[in-house]
Amino acid sequence: MHQHVVRAMNVFRLIGLYFKVNLASALEYRASFLLQAFGMALNNGSFVFFWYIAFSQIGGRIGGYDFNDVMFIWALCSSAFGASHILFANMNSITRIIVSGELDTFLLQPKDVLISLLCSKTSLTAWGDFLYGFILMALTHGGDVPAWSMFLLGIVIGGLLMTAISVTAHTLTFYLGDSSLIGGLALEFVISFCIYPEGIYRGLVRVLMLSVIPASFIVHIPLKLARHFSPGLLLLLFAASAAYCGFAYVFFYRGLKRYESGNLIIARM
Amino acid sequence: MKLRKYFIVTRISLQNSLAYRSSAIGGLLFFSLFIFVFFHLWRAIYKGGEVTGYSLTQMIWYLCITELVVFGCRSGVFSQMNDDVKSGSIAYQLNRPYHYVFFQFFNALGNMVFNLVIYGILAIILGLIMAGPIPGFRFANLPFALISVVLGIVINFFFLMTLGLTAFRLEENFAFYLIYQKLVFMLGMFIPVEFLPRWLQSIALYLPFSYVAWAPARLVVAFSWDLFWQVIPMQLVWVIVSILMSLGMYTYGVKGIQAHGG
């Protein structure tokens, strides 16, 4: 037990160190950093206009959600995406790194391969996504404590789930060869089911959203918990998210055993 | 301007698109996903209450067409301009026997024609499956609506090229791209102009953004000669303005180039 705690602490310390180095690097180009973050926040903000128009057309609920509910899932999805891409931006490059043989560099390091791989890059625009969620929450939910609690918890869970989805999709490269297409599409695909009310779908799609496409665990269940808290549902959220992330981790390491080293020489600055 | 060389450029880019057609699979999947999600969304909205100006069937077809124009026939010209200018590779193209702006247009044209066909077929299939035939649709009107589709694609291309060419003078121009893209999304692609508040409708109809996606889609789902003669002259004006702007931005940008060999 003690060993597991020490290992977990080491992982958090490693993530923290990568974060500090990546942030320092981003701040070297302050103007570009701020412009990109601002551009992305503005980009996301335009969708508020879409929902304003959609709700003003009918003046009621859409798929069981009111305007504030939609703003909650948008805020949570945006901040969770931002957090995952601030910390683990390399998730989008896993296939390229495997195929090009760059993975050798990570295998030689004395730390967890997957964590090192994920953390070694950050995204500047992700800061815009991350902060946008907080601004949207402040504007639409003010001091609503249950909403803020689930929003903050949802960022952690959603960020990890989004990373797990990307890792799982890119890991297929170990098993099937170049999976850049599915790797690139997987997360976008899941996000498409996160940013619209759950109630617009029925039947099989709803089942998929609770399994293969875990969109319900990323935004819709946190929204339900924010509106009507239920300890059982919270437990289900934790269990399902842990299972999904655990699967992605094991799937990656199983696949890694099939990796054949290249002879590419790379210097990491 | 000798056009033959540009047609050869278009033919080669069309051949490239046909040779690398598997790269279109990701886009086709996304196109289908977009229509699938928005079909469910608008169905839920129509269940919630009355929506003025469009029936659900018209709305689904409207989205199929706007998505075809903006997403299906996108060209990547913005990032191409950025790469050419920022990497310096534009220097190698300046002394070639063609005009850089027109070369880029005709080079993209082959791919856009290819995409118009494959995304067009997909749009028709998805529209028929999800919404059924458009009420009151007449094939005789289709060629006139297609003129508007082509003009929308051209306007979008040259405005994106103008924004891409700002890389000559600005270090970071991605925010402009996002702003332009969202104006096209919100003033036509996602939301028909008729859904906007009255004050915004009157402004939108004087701006170019709605003429990229709204005008062609409206003509396909609810063709009328009044609308045709209202939007086509405006589209032609914006085609001319966007071409002049890209030529102006190119000339202004080239004056600032400093080549250092290499």
PDB file of all heavy atoms in Angstrom, chain B residues 73-78 81 101-109 112 150-164 180 212 242-243 246:
ATOM      1  N   CYS B  73     -15.932  21.784 -48.825  1.00  0.00           N
ATOM      2  CA  CYS B  73     -15.119  22.423 -49.856  1.00  0.00           C
ATOM      3  C   CYS B  73     -14.071  23.359 -49.276  1.00  0.00           C
ATOM      4  O   CYS B  73     -13.631  24.303 -49.925  1.00  0.00           O
ATOM      5  CB  CYS B  73     -16.014  23.156 -50.848  1.00  0.00           C
ATOM      6  SG  CYS B  73     -17.079  22.010 -51.718  1.00  0.00           S
ATOM      7  N   ARG B  74     -13.658  23.072 -48.050  1.00  0.00           N
ATOM      8  CA  ARG B  74     -12.587  23.897 -47.472  1.00  0.00           C
ATOM      9  C   ARG B  74     -11.293  23.555 -48.206  1.00  0.00           C
ATOM     10  O   ARG B  74     -11.152  22.465 -48.768  1.00  0.00           O
ATOM     11  CB  ARG B  74     -12.457  23.646 -45.976  1.00  0.00           C
ATOM     12  CG  ARG B  74     -11.874  22.294 -45.620  1.00  0.00           C
ATOM     13  CD  ARG B  74     -12.124  21.960 -44.174  1.00  0.00           C
ATOM     14  NE  ARG B  74     -11.496  20.712 -43.801  1.00  0.00           N
ATOM     15  CZ  ARG B  74     -11.912  19.507 -44.173  1.00  0.00           C
ATOM     16  NH1 ARG B  74     -12.948  19.395 -44.977  1.00  0.00           N
ATOM     17  NH2 ARG B  74     -11.287  18.422 -43.776  1.00  0.00           N
ATOM     18  N   SER B  75     -10.349  24.508 -48.172  1.00  0.00           N
ATOM     19  CA  SER B  75      -9.162  24.315 -48.999  1.00  0.00           C
ATOM     20  C   SER B  75      -7.860  24.276 -48.216  1.00  0.00           C
ATOM     21  O   SER B  75      -6.824  23.921 -48.742  1.00  0.00           O
ATOM     22  CB  SER B  75      -9.091  25.457 -50.011  1.00  0.00           C
ATOM     23  OG  SER B  75      -9.034  26.673 -49.297  1.00  0.00           O
ATOM     24  N   GLY B  76      -7.878  24.682 -46.956  1.00  0.00           N
ATOM     25  CA  GLY B  76      -6.620  24.747 -46.196  1.00  0.00           C
ATOM     26  C   GLY B  76      -5.747  25.901 -46.646  1.00  0.00           C
ATOM     27  O   GLY B  76      -4.550  25.940 -46.358  1.00  0.00           O
ATOM     28  N   VAL B  77      -6.360  26.874 -47.369  1.00  0.00           N
ATOM     29  CA  VAL B  77      -5.551  27.966 -47.930  1.00  0.00           C
ATOM     30  C   VAL B  77      -4.939  28.841 -46.834  1.00  0.00           C
ATOM     31  O   VAL B  77      -3.814  29.337 -46.975  1.00  0.00           O
ATOM     32  CB  VAL B  77      -6.373  28.822 -48.926  1.00  0.00           C
ATOM     33  CG1 VAL B  77      -7.526  29.532 -48.244  1.00  0.00           C
ATOM     34  CG2 VAL B  77      -5.491  29.813 -49.655  1.00  0.00           C
ATOM     35  N   PHE B  78      -5.657  29.017 -45.714  1.00  0.00           N
ATOM     36  CA  PHE B  78      -5.129  29.870 -44.646  1.00  0.00           C
ATOM     37  C   PHE B  78      -3.808  29.309 -44.122  1.00  0.00           C
ATOM     38  O   PHE B  78      -2.801  30.021 -44.030  1.00  0.00           O
ATOM     39  CB  PHE B  78      -6.148  29.992 -43.509  1.00  0.00           C
ATOM     40  CG  PHE B  78      -5.632  30.771 -42.328  1.00  0.00           C
ATOM     41  CD1 PHE B  78      -5.651  32.156 -42.342  1.00  0.00           C
ATOM     42  CD2 PHE B  78      -5.091  30.120 -41.232  1.00  0.00           C
ATOM     43  CE1 PHE B  78      -5.148  32.882 -41.264  1.00  0.00           C
ATOM     44  CE2 PHE B  78      -4.592  30.834 -40.159  1.00  0.00           C
ATOM     45  CZ  PHE B  78      -4.627  32.219 -40.178  1.00  0.00           C
ATOM     46  N   MET B  81      -0.975  29.563 -46.762  1.00  0.00           N
ATOM     47  CA  MET B  81      -0.384  30.900 -46.850  1.00  0.00           C
ATOM     48  C   MET B  81       0.569  31.132 -45.689  1.00  0.00           C
ATOM     49  O   MET B  81       1.682  31.620 -45.851  1.00  0.00           O
ATOM     50  CB  MET B  81      -1.470  31.991 -46.780  1.00  0.00           C
ATOM     51  CG  MET B  81      -2.492  32.006 -47.876  1.00  0.00           C
ATOM     52  SD  MET B  81      -1.816  32.406 -49.458  1.00  0.00           S
ATOM     53  CE  MET B  81      -1.647  30.782 -50.117  1.00  0.00           C
ATOM     54  N   VAL B 101      -1.140  34.342 -56.236  1.00  0.00           N
ATOM     55  CA  VAL B 101      -2.518  34.272 -55.724  1.00  0.00           C
ATOM     56  C   VAL B 101      -3.372  33.365 -56.612  1.00  0.00           C
ATOM     57  O   VAL B 101      -4.099  32.494 -56.109  1.00  0.00           O
ATOM     58  CB  VAL B 101      -3.143  35.690 -55.641  1.00  0.00           C
ATOM     59  CG1 VAL B 101      -4.640  35.616 -55.361  1.00  0.00           C
ATOM     60  CG2 VAL B 101      -2.445  36.502 -54.564  1.00  0.00           C
ATOM     61  N   PHE B 102      -3.263  33.557 -57.939  1.00  0.00           N
ATOM     62  CA  PHE B 102      -4.089  32.744 -58.840  1.00  0.00           C
ATOM     63  C   PHE B 102      -3.598  31.297 -58.896  1.00  0.00           C
ATOM     64  O   PHE B 102      -4.392  30.372 -59.052  1.00  0.00           O
ATOM     65  CB  PHE B 102      -4.129  33.375 -60.241  1.00  0.00           C
ATOM     66  CG  PHE B 102      -4.860  34.687 -60.238  1.00  0.00           C
ATOM     67  CD1 PHE B 102      -4.203  35.879 -60.500  1.00  0.00           C
ATOM     68  CD2 PHE B 102      -6.219  34.732 -59.910  1.00  0.00           C
ATOM     69  CE1 PHE B 102      -4.881  37.083 -60.452  1.00  0.00           C
ATOM     70  CE2 PHE B 102      -6.900  35.932 -59.872  1.00  0.00           C
ATOM     71  CZ  PHE B 102      -6.237  37.110 -60.139  1.00  0.00           C
ATOM     72  N   PHE B 103      -2.279  31.116 -58.756  1.00  0.00           N
ATOM     73  CA  PHE B 103      -1.750  29.752 -58.705  1.00  0.00           C
ATOM     74  C   PHE B 103      -2.383  29.001 -57.524  1.00  0.00           C
ATOM     75  O   PHE B 103      -2.850  27.867 -57.663  1.00  0.00           O
ATOM     76  CB  PHE B 103      -0.223  29.757 -58.547  1.00  0.00           C
ATOM     77  CG  PHE B 103       0.336  28.405 -58.195  1.00  0.00           C
ATOM     78  CD1 PHE B 103       0.485  27.419 -59.176  1.00  0.00           C
ATOM     79  CD2 PHE B 103       0.670  28.096 -56.881  1.00  0.00           C
ATOM     80  CE1 PHE B 103       0.970  26.155 -58.844  1.00  0.00           C
ATOM     81  CE2 PHE B 103       1.147  26.830 -56.552  1.00  0.00           C
ATOM     82  CZ  PHE B 103       1.300  25.863 -57.524  1.00  0.00           C
ATOM     83  N   GLN B 104      -2.420  29.667 -56.354  1.00  0.00           N
ATOM     84  CA  GLN B 104      -2.986  29.006 -55.162  1.00  0.00           C
ATOM     85  C   GLN B 104      -4.466  28.684 -55.375  1.00  0.00           C
ATOM     86  O   GLN B 104      -4.947  27.633 -54.954  1.00  0.00           O
ATOM     87  CB  GLN B 104      -2.821  29.900 -53.925  1.00  0.00           C
ATOM     88  CG  GLN B 104      -1.393  30.026 -53.429  1.00  0.00           C
ATOM     89  CD  GLN B 104      -0.803  28.697 -52.992  1.00  0.00           C
ATOM     90  OE1 GLN B 104      -1.509  27.713 -52.767  1.00  0.00           O
ATOM     91  NE2 GLN B 104       0.517  28.651 -52.886  1.00  0.00           N
ATOM     92  N   PHE B 105      -5.186  29.608 -56.017  1.00  0.00           N
ATOM     93  CA  PHE B 105      -6.615  29.368 -56.250  1.00  0.00           C
ATOM     94  C   PHE B 105      -6.818  28.159 -57.155  1.00  0.00           C
ATOM     95  O   PHE B 105      -7.575  27.237 -56.838  1.00  0.00           O
ATOM     96  CB  PHE B 105      -7.291  30.602 -56.842  1.00  0.00           C
ATOM     97  CG  PHE B 105      -8.733  30.349 -57.205  1.00  0.00           C
ATOM     98  CD1 PHE B 105      -9.688  30.165 -56.209  1.00  0.00           C
ATOM     99  CD2 PHE B 105      -9.137  30.265 -58.525  1.00  0.00           C
ATOM    100  CE1 PHE B 105     -11.013  29.896 -56.526  1.00  0.00           C
ATOM    101  CE2 PHE B 105     -10.459  29.994 -58.852  1.00  0.00           C
ATOM    102  CZ  PHE B 105     -11.399  29.804 -57.852  1.00  0.00           C
ATOM    103  N   PHE B 106      -6.111  28.155 -58.292  1.00  0.00           N
ATOM    104  CA  PHE B 106      -6.323  27.055 -59.245  1.00  0.00           C
ATOM    105  C   PHE B 106      -5.767  25.733 -58.708  1.00  0.00           C
ATOM    106  O   PHE B 106      -6.258  24.667 -59.052  1.00  0.00           O
ATOM    107  CB  PHE B 106      -5.729  27.413 -60.609  1.00  0.00           C
ATOM    108  CG  PHE B 106      -6.580  28.397 -61.356  1.00  0.00           C
ATOM    109  CD1 PHE B 106      -6.294  29.748 -61.333  1.00  0.00           C
ATOM    110  CD2 PHE B 106      -7.705  27.974 -62.051  1.00  0.00           C
ATOM    111  CE1 PHE B 106      -7.100  30.665 -61.992  1.00  0.00           C
ATOM    112  CE2 PHE B 106      -8.523  28.876 -62.720  1.00  0.00           C
ATOM    113  CZ  PHE B 106      -8.221  30.224 -62.689  1.00  0.00           C
ATOM    114  N   ASN B 107      -4.748  25.842 -57.864  1.00  0.00           N
ATOM    115  CA  ASN B 107      -4.197  24.643 -57.234  1.00  0.00           C
ATOM    116  C   ASN B 107      -5.220  24.042 -56.262  1.00  0.00           C
ATOM    117  O   ASN B 107      -5.369  22.822 -56.167  1.00  0.00           O
ATOM    118  CB  ASN B 107      -2.906  25.015 -56.493  1.00  0.00           C
ATOM    119  CG  ASN B 107      -2.184  23.787 -55.995  1.00  0.00           C
ATOM    120  OD1 ASN B 107      -2.207  22.747 -56.660  1.00  0.00           O
ATOM    121  ND2 ASN B 107      -1.562  23.888 -54.843  1.00  0.00           N
ATOM    122  N   ALA B 108      -5.932  24.925 -55.541  1.00  0.00           N
ATOM    123  CA  ALA B 108      -6.940  24.442 -54.580  1.00  0.00           C
ATOM    124  C   ALA B 108      -8.209  23.984 -55.304  1.00  0.00           C
ATOM    125  O   ALA B 108      -8.960  23.155 -54.798  1.00  0.00           O
ATOM    126  CB  ALA B 108      -7.280  25.547 -53.580  1.00  0.00           C
ATOM    127  N   LEU B 109      -8.425  24.544 -56.502  1.00  0.00           N
ATOM    128  CA  LEU B 109      -9.673  24.293 -57.223  1.00  0.00           C
ATOM    129  C   LEU B 109      -9.901  22.806 -57.510  1.00  0.00           C
ATOM    130  O   LEU B 109     -11.015  22.296 -57.356  1.00  0.00           O
ATOM    131  CB  LEU B 109      -9.667  25.092 -58.537  1.00  0.00           C
ATOM    132  CG  LEU B 109     -10.997  25.169 -59.293  1.00  0.00           C
ATOM    133  CD1 LEU B 109     -12.069  25.812 -58.429  1.00  0.00           C
ATOM    134  CD2 LEU B 109     -10.815  25.977 -60.581  1.00  0.00           C
ATOM    135  N   MET B 112     -11.107  21.228 -54.455  1.00  0.00           N
ATOM    136  CA  MET B 112     -12.450  21.697 -54.102  1.00  0.00           C
ATOM    137  C   MET B 112     -13.506  21.043 -55.003  1.00  0.00           C
ATOM    138  O   MET B 112     -14.587  20.694 -54.542  1.00  0.00           O
ATOM    139  CB  MET B 112     -12.521  23.228 -54.184  1.00  0.00           C
ATOM    140  CG  MET B 112     -11.729  23.908 -53.076  1.00  0.00           C
ATOM    141  SD  MET B 112     -12.077  25.660 -52.849  1.00  0.00           S
ATOM    142  CE  MET B 112     -11.360  26.399 -54.286  1.00  0.00           C
ATOM    143  N   VAL B 150     -21.140  27.800 -55.735  1.00  0.00           N
ATOM    144  CA  VAL B 150     -19.776  28.045 -56.233  1.00  0.00           C
ATOM    145  C   VAL B 150     -19.296  29.435 -55.796  1.00  0.00           C
ATOM    146  O   VAL B 150     -18.155  29.593 -55.332  1.00  0.00           O
ATOM    147  CB  VAL B 150     -19.739  27.903 -57.776  1.00  0.00           C
ATOM    148  CG1 VAL B 150     -18.401  28.379 -58.335  1.00  0.00           C
ATOM    149  CG2 VAL B 150     -20.009  26.463 -58.179  1.00  0.00           C
ATOM    150  N   LEU B 151     -20.170  30.438 -55.892  1.00  0.00           N
ATOM    151  CA  LEU B 151     -19.771  31.793 -55.487  1.00  0.00           C
ATOM    152  C   LEU B 151     -19.447  31.829 -53.992  1.00  0.00           C
ATOM    153  O   LEU B 151     -18.495  32.491 -53.573  1.00  0.00           O
ATOM    154  CB  LEU B 151     -20.884  32.800 -55.817  1.00  0.00           C
ATOM    155  CG  LEU B 151     -21.124  33.054 -57.316  1.00  0.00           C
ATOM    156  CD1 LEU B 151     -22.326  33.974 -57.522  1.00  0.00           C
ATOM    157  CD2 LEU B 151     -19.891  33.658 -57.974  1.00  0.00           C
ATOM    158  N   GLY B 152     -20.226  31.096 -53.192  1.00  0.00           N
ATOM    159  CA  GLY B 152     -19.964  31.020 -51.740  1.00  0.00           C
ATOM    160  C   GLY B 152     -18.592  30.428 -51.470  1.00  0.00           C
ATOM    161  O   GLY B 152     -17.836  30.938 -50.622  1.00  0.00           O
ATOM    162  N   ILE B 153     -18.255  29.372 -52.197  1.00  0.00           N
ATOM    163  CA  ILE B 153     -16.947  28.726 -52.007  1.00  0.00           C
ATOM    164  C   ILE B 153     -15.813  29.687 -52.405  1.00  0.00           C
ATOM    165  O   ILE B 153     -14.794  29.784 -51.720  1.00  0.00           O
ATOM    166  CB  ILE B 153     -16.881  27.420 -52.850  1.00  0.00           C
ATOM    167  CG1 ILE B 153     -17.856  26.378 -52.285  1.00  0.00           C
ATOM    168  CG2 ILE B 153     -15.468  26.844 -52.868  1.00  0.00           C
ATOM    169  CD1 ILE B 153     -18.086  25.175 -53.198  1.00  0.00           C
ATOM    170  N   VAL B 154     -16.021  30.425 -53.490  1.00  0.00           N
ATOM    171  CA  VAL B 154     -14.978  31.360 -53.965  1.00  0.00           C
ATOM    172  C   VAL B 154     -14.783  32.507 -52.958  1.00  0.00           C
ATOM    173  O   VAL B 154     -13.653  32.873 -52.625  1.00  0.00           O
ATOM    174  CB  VAL B 154     -15.339  31.915 -55.368  1.00  0.00           C
ATOM    175  CG1 VAL B 154     -14.372  33.010 -55.794  1.00  0.00           C
ATOM    176  CG2 VAL B 154     -15.339  30.785 -56.396  1.00  0.00           C
ATOM    177  N   ILE B 155     -15.897  33.060 -52.464  1.00  0.00           N
ATOM    178  CA  ILE B 155     -15.793  34.150 -51.465  1.00  0.00           C
ATOM    179  C   ILE B 155     -14.994  33.661 -50.259  1.00  0.00           C
ATOM    180  O   ILE B 155     -14.068  34.312 -49.782  1.00  0.00           O
ATOM    181  CB  ILE B 155     -17.201  34.619 -50.999  1.00  0.00           C
ATOM    182  CG1 ILE B 155     -17.958  35.276 -52.149  1.00  0.00           C
ATOM    183  CG2 ILE B 155     -17.084  35.587 -49.826  1.00  0.00           C
ATOM    184  CD1 ILE B 155     -19.439  35.525 -51.849  1.00  0.00           C
ATOM    185  N   ASN B 156     -15.364  32.467 -49.766  1.00  0.00           N
ATOM    186  CA  ASN B 156     -14.695  31.902 -48.592  1.00  0.00           C
ATOM    187  C   ASN B 156     -13.209  31.716 -48.866  1.00  0.00           C
ATOM    188  O   ASN B 156     -12.358  32.069 -48.034  1.00  0.00           O
ATOM    189  CB  ASN B 156     -15.340  30.543 -48.259  1.00  0.00           C
ATOM    190  CG  ASN B 156     -15.023  30.088 -46.858  1.00  0.00           C
ATOM    191  OD1 ASN B 156     -14.843  30.906 -45.957  1.00  0.00           O
ATOM    192  ND2 ASN B 156     -14.924  28.793 -46.663  1.00  0.00           N
ATOM    193  N   PHE B 157     -12.879  31.215 -50.043  1.00  0.00           N
ATOM    194  CA  PHE B 157     -11.472  30.959 -50.386  1.00  0.00           C
ATOM    195  C   PHE B 157     -10.660  32.247 -50.335  1.00  0.00           C
ATOM    196  O   PHE B 157      -9.611  32.314 -49.689  1.00  0.00           O
ATOM    197  CB  PHE B 157     -11.374  30.321 -51.777  1.00  0.00           C
ATOM    198  CG  PHE B 157      -9.956  30.058 -52.188  1.00  0.00           C
ATOM    199  CD1 PHE B 157      -9.355  28.847 -51.887  1.00  0.00           C
ATOM    200  CD2 PHE B 157      -9.208  31.031 -52.840  1.00  0.00           C
ATOM    201  CE1 PHE B 157      -8.030  28.614 -52.237  1.00  0.00           C
ATOM    202  CE2 PHE B 157      -7.887  30.801 -53.184  1.00  0.00           C
ATOM    203  CZ  PHE B 157      -7.304  29.585 -52.888  1.00  0.00           C
ATOM    204  N   PHE B 158     -11.150  33.287 -51.026  1.00  0.00           N
ATOM    205  CA  PHE B 158     -10.332  34.505 -51.132  1.00  0.00           C
ATOM    206  C   PHE B 158     -10.266  35.293 -49.820  1.00  0.00           C
ATOM    207  O   PHE B 158      -9.257  35.941 -49.552  1.00  0.00           O
ATOM    208  CB  PHE B 158     -10.801  35.376 -52.302  1.00  0.00           C
ATOM    209  CG  PHE B 158     -10.274  34.868 -53.617  1.00  0.00           C
ATOM    210  CD1 PHE B 158     -11.094  34.166 -54.481  1.00  0.00           C
ATOM    211  CD2 PHE B 158      -8.943  35.051 -53.964  1.00  0.00           C
ATOM    212  CE1 PHE B 158     -10.598  33.663 -55.689  1.00  0.00           C
ATOM    213  CE2 PHE B 158      -8.435  34.563 -55.165  1.00  0.00           C
ATOM    214  CZ  PHE B 158      -9.262  33.865 -56.021  1.00  0.00           C
ATOM    215  N   PHE B 159     -11.315  35.226 -49.001  1.00  0.00           N
ATOM    216  CA  PHE B 159     -11.196  35.888 -47.692  1.00  0.00           C
ATOM    217  C   PHE B 159     -10.189  35.144 -46.810  1.00  0.00           C
ATOM    218  O   PHE B 159      -9.393  35.764 -46.100  1.00  0.00           O
ATOM    219  CB  PHE B 159     -12.557  35.987 -46.989  1.00  0.00           C
ATOM    220  CG  PHE B 159     -13.298  37.239 -47.373  1.00  0.00           C
ATOM    221  CD1 PHE B 159     -14.509  37.177 -48.034  1.00  0.00           C
ATOM    222  CD2 PHE B 159     -12.775  38.498 -47.077  1.00  0.00           C
ATOM    223  CE1 PHE B 159     -15.177  38.331 -48.413  1.00  0.00           C
ATOM    224  CE2 PHE B 159     -13.433  39.656 -47.448  1.00  0.00           C
ATOM    225  CZ  PHE B 159     -14.646  39.572 -48.119  1.00  0.00           C
ATOM    226  N   LEU B 160     -10.218  33.811 -46.866  1.00  0.00           N
ATOM    227  CA  LEU B 160      -9.246  33.049 -46.075  1.00  0.00           C
ATOM    228  C   LEU B 160      -7.826  33.297 -46.583  1.00  0.00           C
ATOM    229  O   LEU B 160      -6.884  33.362 -45.798  1.00  0.00           O
ATOM    230  CB  LEU B 160      -9.575  31.551 -46.122  1.00  0.00           C
ATOM    231  CG  LEU B 160     -10.762  31.138 -45.247  1.00  0.00           C
ATOM    232  CD1 LEU B 160     -11.134  29.686 -45.489  1.00  0.00           C
ATOM    233  CD2 LEU B 160     -10.441  31.347 -43.764  1.00  0.00           C
ATOM    234  N   MET B 161      -7.693  33.448 -47.906  1.00  0.00           N
ATOM    235  CA  MET B 161      -6.373  33.741 -48.459  1.00  0.00           C
ATOM    236  C   MET B 161      -5.890  35.110 -47.975  1.00  0.00           C
ATOM    237  O   MET B 161      -4.736  35.264 -47.568  1.00  0.00           O
ATOM    238  CB  MET B 161      -6.420  33.707 -49.979  1.00  0.00           C
ATOM    239  CG  MET B 161      -5.100  34.123 -50.595  1.00  0.00           C
ATOM    240  SD  MET B 161      -5.136  33.980 -52.360  1.00  0.00           S
ATOM    241  CE  MET B 161      -4.233  32.469 -52.560  1.00  0.00           C
ATOM    242  N   THR B 162      -6.796  36.088 -47.979  1.00  0.00           N
ATOM    243  CA  THR B 162      -6.425  37.432 -47.494  1.00  0.00           C
ATOM    244  C   THR B 162      -5.932  37.354 -46.056  1.00  0.00           C
ATOM    245  O   THR B 162      -4.901  37.934 -45.707  1.00  0.00           O
ATOM    246  CB  THR B 162      -7.647  38.388 -47.573  1.00  0.00           C
ATOM    247  OG1 THR B 162      -8.171  38.340 -48.891  1.00  0.00           O
ATOM    248  CG2 THR B 162      -7.262  39.803 -47.207  1.00  0.00           C
ATOM    249  N   LEU B 163      -6.672  36.606 -45.220  1.00  0.00           N
ATOM    250  CA  LEU B 163      -6.270  36.482 -43.810  1.00  0.00           C
ATOM    251  C   LEU B 163      -4.937  35.750 -43.694  1.00  0.00           C
ATOM    252  O   LEU B 163      -4.090  36.113 -42.872  1.00  0.00           O
ATOM    253  CB  LEU B 163      -7.354  35.741 -43.019  1.00  0.00           C
ATOM    254  CG  LEU B 163      -8.677  36.488 -42.849  1.00  0.00           C
ATOM    255  CD1 LEU B 163      -9.703  35.610 -42.150  1.00  0.00           C
ATOM    256  CD2 LEU B 163      -8.465  37.765 -42.037  1.00  0.00           C
ATOM    257  N   GLY B 164      -4.755  34.704 -44.501  1.00  0.00           N
ATOM    258  CA  GLY B 164      -3.488  33.966 -44.471  1.00  0.00           C
ATOM    259  C   GLY B 164      -2.320  34.857 -44.874  1.00  0.00           C
ATOM    260  O   GLY B 164      -1.234  34.779 -44.290  1.00  0.00           O
ATOM    261  N   TYR B 180     -13.030  35.168 -38.122  1.00  0.00           N
ATOM    262  CA  TYR B 180     -13.703  35.055 -39.429  1.00  0.00           C
ATOM    263  C   TYR B 180     -14.549  33.781 -39.481  1.00  0.00           C
ATOM    264  O   TYR B 180     -15.724  33.805 -39.882  1.00  0.00           O
ATOM    265  CB  TYR B 180     -12.659  35.045 -40.553  1.00  0.00           C
ATOM    266  CG  TYR B 180     -13.252  34.668 -41.903  1.00  0.00           C
ATOM    267  CD1 TYR B 180     -13.942  35.597 -42.667  1.00  0.00           C
ATOM    268  CD2 TYR B 180     -13.162  33.355 -42.379  1.00  0.00           C
ATOM    269  CE1 TYR B 180     -14.514  35.250 -43.886  1.00  0.00           C
ATOM    270  CE2 TYR B 180     -13.733  32.989 -43.588  1.00  0.00           C
ATOM    271  CZ  TYR B 180     -14.410  33.941 -44.335  1.00  0.00           C
ATOM    272  OH  TYR B 180     -14.986  33.573 -45.524  1.00  0.00           O
ATOM    273  N   VAL B 212     -21.502  33.319 -47.775  1.00  0.00           N
ATOM    274  CA  VAL B 212     -20.699  32.108 -47.948  1.00  0.00           C
ATOM    275  C   VAL B 212     -21.599  30.875 -47.851  1.00  0.00           C
ATOM    276  O   VAL B 212     -21.550  29.991 -48.704  1.00  0.00           O
ATOM    277  CB  VAL B 212     -19.576  32.040 -46.871  1.00  0.00           C
ATOM    278  CG1 VAL B 212     -18.865  30.694 -46.917  1.00  0.00           C
ATOM    279  CG2 VAL B 212     -18.581  33.179 -47.068  1.00  0.00           C
ATOM    280  N   SER B 242     -13.320  40.302 -52.395  1.00  0.00           N
ATOM    281  CA  SER B 242     -12.390  39.367 -51.740  1.00  0.00           C
ATOM    282  C   SER B 242     -11.153  39.122 -52.615  1.00  0.00           C
ATOM    283  O   SER B 242     -10.038  39.039 -52.095  1.00  0.00           O
ATOM    284  CB  SER B 242     -13.091  38.049 -51.405  1.00  0.00           C
ATOM    285  OG  SER B 242     -13.552  37.420 -52.580  1.00  0.00           O
ATOM    286  N   ILE B 243     -11.356  39.057 -53.953  1.00  0.00           N
ATOM    287  CA  ILE B 243     -10.194  38.867 -54.845  1.00  0.00           C
ATOM    288  C   ILE B 243      -9.293  40.105 -54.775  1.00  0.00           C
ATOM    289  O   ILE B 243      -8.068  39.991 -54.638  1.00  0.00           O
ATOM    290  CB  ILE B 243     -10.647  38.605 -56.301  1.00  0.00           C
ATOM    291  CG1 ILE B 243     -11.332  37.233 -56.390  1.00  0.00           C
ATOM    292  CG2 ILE B 243      -9.455  38.652 -57.260  1.00  0.00           C
ATOM    293  CD1 ILE B 243     -11.951  36.918 -57.738  1.00  0.00           C
ATOM    294  N   SER B 246      -7.331  40.129 -51.554  1.00  0.00           N
ATOM    295  CA  SER B 246      -6.206  39.190 -51.496  1.00  0.00           C
ATOM    296  C   SER B 246      -5.053  39.670 -52.384  1.00  0.00           C
ATOM    297  O   SER B 246      -3.887  39.563 -51.999  1.00  0.00           O
ATOM    298  CB  SER B 246      -6.644  37.771 -51.870  1.00  0.00           C
ATOM    299  OG  SER B 246      -7.187  37.757 -53.153  1.00  0.00           O
TER     300      SER B 246
END
